[in-house]
Amino acid sequence: MPPKKKSRTTRSAKNVQASQDSKGRQSTSGAVTRPTGRVLRGRRGSLKDLPEMPTDILNEIFSYLHPTDLLSLVRTNKAFCRFLLDPRNVRMWRVCREGAQDIPPLPPFLSETAFAHLLFAPFCHGCGKSPVHKVMWIWFTRYCRQCLEEKRGYIRSYPPFLEGVPDREILVKGKGQFSEILSLINPSDGNYCYQRHNNYHIPQLERFLAEWNAAESSEARKGLYEKQKALIVEMRKHERVLEKWWERRQEDRSDELNAVRRQRFSEICKRLEDAGWGQELARLRGTSEGKAALRSVHTLYQPTKLTDKAFETVLRQMEGLLTDTRNTLEQEKRRAKLVKRVKVFEQAVEAHYVQVPRNPRMLCRPRFGDLIFEPEVEALFTGPNADGLTVADFAPIIPTLGSRWEERIKEKLRAMVKAQVEGIPDDKDPLDLAVALFACPGCHVDRSLRYPDILAHYCLRYHHLVPKTPYGQDIKAATSKMGSSCIRFSVHGVQDTLIVDGKQFLTVLGMSPATTTWDELAKENVLFRRKQCRCYSGDDHCGAYTWDAALHKSRRKKEYDAWRPVTPQELEAISILGVPLRPTIHNMGYRTDWHCGLCINWSGNGDNVEKHLKEKHQLENVKQCVEDGTVFMHPCEITERRPIPLPHVAEIQ
């Protein structure tokens, strides 16, 4: 192939070589190529003759510049440094300062160049390190951390700099007087032992002591003292002005950067919406968690103009967050639909098990949380017709699901009874036995539970037995959003201590724990009474007790041989006395839970029951409502401990 053509140039090789320097080289096309590979357009040295221009022209040029521009020119080369720092050209600095807006007036103890360097040059006044953004306005200096430690001291109870100082009594007029001649940080009288108080500027003290020692007489030192006092007052006045200006400038700069950040964020949001991430972005901006996640993406809020390349970087960084948010939105939509299905299923379960008039057995039923994780329900919830489910779709499967649920619980309870009672005949259900009493692990009172009443016990529904499957987690989230929960009934933790004690009690009384049933004791009206009176104890009574009430009274001290069955004569006395065996609203505690049989789900206690019957159903005879079952107690309420009054044991004997 033919060789590449060379570019044409009008400059000679000699001129090209002359334009080279130690930091870069001039290309043949007139462009400057630096070692970094960056090509700079234009001619080098175009401003080198600027210091040679007439002063009036320079003043006119510099009147359009800012002091920061002059500081940049000072650091350009030695020619500009000598020219701009020449005391004869101080007017240029003053013109720039006066031409700039909102710069405080020049303090009389600073030069124009020193003032500009203090305000706008981020260099340490000790070592020249940069950047140093914090200004010690009280000392009119910028120090890095290391230089600050070297340039400051603190006044002790007796400052060492007073040793050998002539006319020391002029300086020491009392405690705390050094603040008149030194710019102190945290001036405090009496706190000379702590380095955070009475901090002074070492160079300031050295300059003052040098002038003090150089003074020839006491009168000269007194004059120097007054002059230093006036200087400190002037410095404090300008310190307050400059500090307020600096704070205002920082606020303006912060507002400016915030405006750039907001503009950048708005543009990023618009581009993301155009890219199809509008819903995800709205979700992130509308929640506290989303806002926190957006704040963690630092490229969103950089105070720079957004470019196409920068947006690609932002999109890469936010891709994971946006994808997760999209998945969350899809999950919420799925769970929102699931809420509607769960409500329909709950209505179907309640419609099958609860009808008016209600009875206590309707409370001993499964809730929707007990059946919702069955395979049949999951198949309907996740099937193709899930969005159009109705109560009729669930009605055919609920009886089967309910029977299966109850049978599982019965098998667990039967196993507990069989484990403690041996020799139970095959034709007897262990749950029908008199000893089939179960203790709740969560109740604070000594409570006995029987089947099926145990199915309505509140404490056994605190287990969140939710399968750790996607369907299970969706159901859990959906029911929580409903304000309900998918808490399931569980006999986990149910105790068999009452079975063991009941077995021992019946054995002592001469009854068989394996054959004696609860119905036999109830039909034959078998009651129990203490052999000896214990009315003196205050919480006991020598009346007649039902089987489980007698068991509760004696199981703490295991005194089963202190009881006997009630005699026929005592049973006849009970019938003659006409003692009401059925509890009423007024002879039960005010916290007893009563349910209305004429309502689907009403319950209350105390006087609320009587008020409900009168206002809702216009029923005045509350006692009759209890007798006919219009209102009934919760099956798990404690009623068996109340004794049936009988003549005193001593009177019978």
Side-chain angles (χ1 to χ4, degrees):
M1 294 182 64
K4 293 181 64 176
K5 294 183 179 180
K6 296 183 179 180
S7 59
R8 188 173 183 180
T9 178
T10 58
R11 301 180 64 189
S12 63
K14 182 178 180 180
N15 293 334
V16 172
Q17 185 177 2
S19 63
Q20 295 178 352
D21 62 2
S22 60
K23 295 185 179 179
R25 65 179 185 272
Q26 181 73 31
S27 67
T28 57
S29 61
V32 178
T33 305
R34 301 208 171 187
T36 58
R38 182 182 177 188
V39 178
L40 302 178
R41 297 294 178 182
R43 296 176 57 191
R44 293 195 60 189
S46 58
L47 298 179
K48 63 183 180 62
D49 297 328
L50 188 62
E52 306 300 330
M53 291 183 180
T55 306
D56 54 347
I57 297 178
L58 293 178
N59 288 335
E60 182 65 23
I61 295 175
F62 291 160
S63 64
Y64 295 97
L65 300 181
H66 193 271
T68 54
D69 300 323
L70 295 185
L71 292 172
S72 299
L73 289 174
V74 168
R75 293 190 295 271
T76 302
N77 54 39
K78 294 181 179 180
F80 273 110
C81 182
R82 287 193 299 267
F83 173 73
L84 292 174
L85 296 184
D86 191 339
R88 294 174 297 179
N89 298 327
V90 68
R91 184 175 180 275
M92 298 179 185
W93 293 87
R94 184 170 63 253
V95 169
C96 291
R97 177 177 58 81
E98 293 175 352
Q101 296 181 355
D102 194 27
I103 293 183
L106 176 69
F109 47 85
L110 289 179
S111 64
E112 288 284 356
T113 54
F115 189 48
H117 189 267
L118 174 67
L119 297 184
F120 304 111
F123 298 98
C124 175
H125 290 185
C127 63
K129 185 185 299 183
S130 68
V132 178
H133 299 293
K134 184 177 180 180
V135 183
M136 307 293 294
W137 294 110
I138 191 172
W139 296 338
F140 296 89
T141 55
R142 291 177 187 253
Y143 285 134
C144 63
R145 182 176 299 179
Q146 182 178 357
C147 291
L148 180 60
E149 295 297 326
E150 297 175 356
K151 299 295 184 180
R152 71 176 177 181
Y154 74 98
I155 299 176
R156 301 175 178 84
S157 57
Y158 185 81
F161 58 77
L162 293 179
E163 297 179 0
V165 175
D167 295 326
R168 186 177 55 187
E169 63 277 0
I170 300 176
L171 298 177
V172 183
K173 294 184 177 180
K175 293 182 178 180
Q177 296 299 319
F178 294 106
S179 59
E180 294 183 354
I181 59 174
L182 295 175
S183 299
L184 298 182
I185 298 177
N186 296 332
S188 179
D189 181 18
N191 290 286
Y192 299 108
C193 299
Y194 301 99
Q195 295 188 15
R196 64 176 178 271
H197 294 287
N198 301 315
N199 285 256
Y200 64 89
H201 192 206
I202 294 177
Q204 182 188 44
L205 177 62
E206 291 176 348
R207 287 193 299 268
F208 174 71
L209 291 180
E211 295 179 4
W212 185 270
N213 294 327
E216 298 178 353
S217 63
S218 298
E219 293 298 328
R221 293 188 182 96
K222 289 180 181 179
L224 179 60
Y225 185 87
E226 296 299 328
K227 179 182 177 182
Q228 183 71 8
K229 284 178 57 178
L231 176 62
I232 293 300
V233 172
E234 187 73 16
M235 291 178 66
R236 288 173 182 167
K237 181 180 69 174
H238 285 276
E239 170 203 348
R240 290 189 291 268
V241 173
L242 290 174
E243 192 167 4
K244 290 181 180 179
W245 170 81
W246 181 262
E247 292 176 356
R248 186 168 60 252
R249 186 170 181 266
Q250 295 297 107
E251 292 175 358
D252 294 342
R253 179 58 178 169
S254 178
D255 295 341
E256 180 182 351
L257 294 179
N258 288 336
V260 176
R261 292 188 182 98
R262 288 192 296 268
Q263 178 64 27
R264 177 188 177 94
F265 182 72
S266 300
E267 189 173 349
I268 289 175
C269 292
K270 186 177 183 305
R271 292 196 182 192
L272 288 176
E273 291 174 358
D274 295 340
W277 297 102
Q279 294 183 354
E280 293 77 9
L281 188 61
R283 168 59 185 269
L284 289 171
R285 299 178 68 179
T287 60
S288 57
E289 297 83 359
K291 292 178 182 178
L294 288 176
R295 285 194 295 269
S296 64
V297 184
H298 301 293
T299 53
L300 288 176
Y301 303 98
Q302 289 180 350
T304 56
K305 186 178 179 180
L306 183 68
T307 61
D308 294 339
K309 187 174 182 180
F311 178 72
E312 294 176 0
T313 303
V314 172
L315 191 58
R316 284 197 304 271
Q317 293 182 355
M318 292 191 61
E319 185 176 2
L321 177 61
L322 293 172
T323 303
D324 293 342
T325 306
R326 176 170 290 180
N327 295 335
T328 302
L329 288 174
E330 294 176 355
Q331 186 182 68
E332 289 180 350
K333 291 179 182 178
R334 184 174 68 253
R335 291 177 177 178
K337 295 179 181 179
L338 197 59
V339 169
K340 298 179 181 179
R341 302 168 198 166
V342 172
K343 290 181 178 179
V344 173
F345 180 66
E346 184 178 12
Q347 295 172 3
V349 173
E350 188 171 354
H352 177 77
Y353 284 101
V354 181
Q355 297 87 29
V356 176
R358 285 194 301 163
N359 56 56
R361 185 64 176 86
M362 292 181 183
L363 299 179
C364 307
R365 63 177 178 87
R367 273 46 175 190
F368 77 94
D370 297 314
L371 309 178
I372 201 169
F373 297 106
E374 296 294 328
E376 295 87 343
V377 180
E378 182 177 354
L380 288 174
F381 274 21
T382 58
N385 301 323
D387 293 337
L389 289 174
T390 62
V391 173
D393 296 324
F394 295 105
I397 64 172
I398 289 179
T400 303
L401 300 180
S403 300
R404 185 192 306 165
W405 169 80
E406 192 165 349
E407 191 60 33
R408 285 198 297 261
I409 297 174
K410 290 171 66 175
E411 287 300 322
K412 293 179 181 179
L413 297 177
R414 289 190 186 108
M416 293 176 63
V417 178
K418 291 180 180 180
Q420 300 298 334
V421 181
E422 299 176 354
I424 300 177
D426 296 337
D427 59 343
K428 284 190 179 294
D429 189 346
L431 297 180
D432 293 336
L433 298 178
V435 296
L437 298 173
F438 306 96
C440 172
C443 288
H444 299 291
V445 294
D446 197 3
R447 188 190 301 266
S448 60
L449 301 171
R450 290 189 57 81
Y451 175 83
D453 297 343
I454 192 174
L455 300 178
H457 191 54
Y458 301 113
C459 298
L460 299 179
R461 288 190 174 274
Y462 61 86
H463 291 283
H464 295 263
L465 302 177
V466 179
K468 295 186 180 303
T469 60
Y471 173 76
Q473 297 305 309
D474 285 348
I475 290 294
K476 181 179 179 180
T479 53
S480 299
K481 191 175 182 179
M482 290 169 53
S484 180
S485 63
C486 52
I487 299 177
R488 306 166 69 184
F489 182 89
S490 174
V491 294
H492 176 74
V494 172
Q495 300 172 352
D496 57 1
T497 53
L498 288 173
I499 302 176
V500 177
D501 295 339
K503 173 184 175 181
Q504 186 177 355
F505 194 9
L506 288 179
T507 302
V508 171
L509 293 174
M511 302 180 183
S512 172
T515 57
T516 304
T517 64
W518 178 274
D519 290 339
E520 290 174 358
L521 296 178
K523 289 179 180 179
E524 296 177 9
N525 202 14
V526 178
L527 300 175
F528 300 89
R529 196 177 191 187
R530 289 189 180 275
K531 296 178 181 179
Q532 296 181 356
C533 173
R534 286 193 177 181
C535 295
Y536 63 86
S537 62
D539 60 346
D540 213 337
H541 196 278
C542 61
Y545 290 84
T546 59
W547 144 248
D548 48 352
L551 176 62
H552 277 288
K553 286 290 183 181
S554 58
R555 64 188 297 263
R556 179 176 297 178
K557 297 183 179 180
K558 308 296 182 181
E559 46 184 10
Y560 305 124
D561 56 350
W563 294 81
R564 62 174 176 81
V566 173
T567 62
Q569 293 80 7
E570 291 171 336
L571 288 175
E572 184 178 358
I574 292 175
S575 62
I576 294 175
L577 290 174
V579 178
L581 299 181
R582 183 180 293 274
T584 64
I585 295 176
H586 300 290
N587 67 8
M588 298 300 296
Y590 72 94
R591 298 180 63 181
T592 303
D593 190 14
W594 294 85
H595 290 256
C596 177
L598 303 179
C599 299
I600 292 295
N601 56 6
W602 189 92
S603 63
N605 48 43
D607 297 335
N608 293 330
V609 179
E610 188 174 356
K611 181 179 179 181
H612 172 77
L613 291 174
K614 291 180 180 180
E615 295 181 357
K616 183 69 176 179
H617 306 291
Q618 291 76 44
L619 296 176
E620 300 289 340
N621 192 344
V622 181
K623 181 178 180 181
Q624 182 61 35
C625 291
V626 176
E627 291 292 332
D628 59 23
T630 302
V631 291
F632 54 88
M633 282 195 310
H634 192 277
C636 296
E637 291 291 347
I638 301 175
T639 59
E640 65 276 5
R641 293 192 185 181
R642 292 181 176 273
I644 301 173
L646 278 175
H648 200 272
V649 173
E651 297 176 1
I652 296 177
Q653 294 176 351

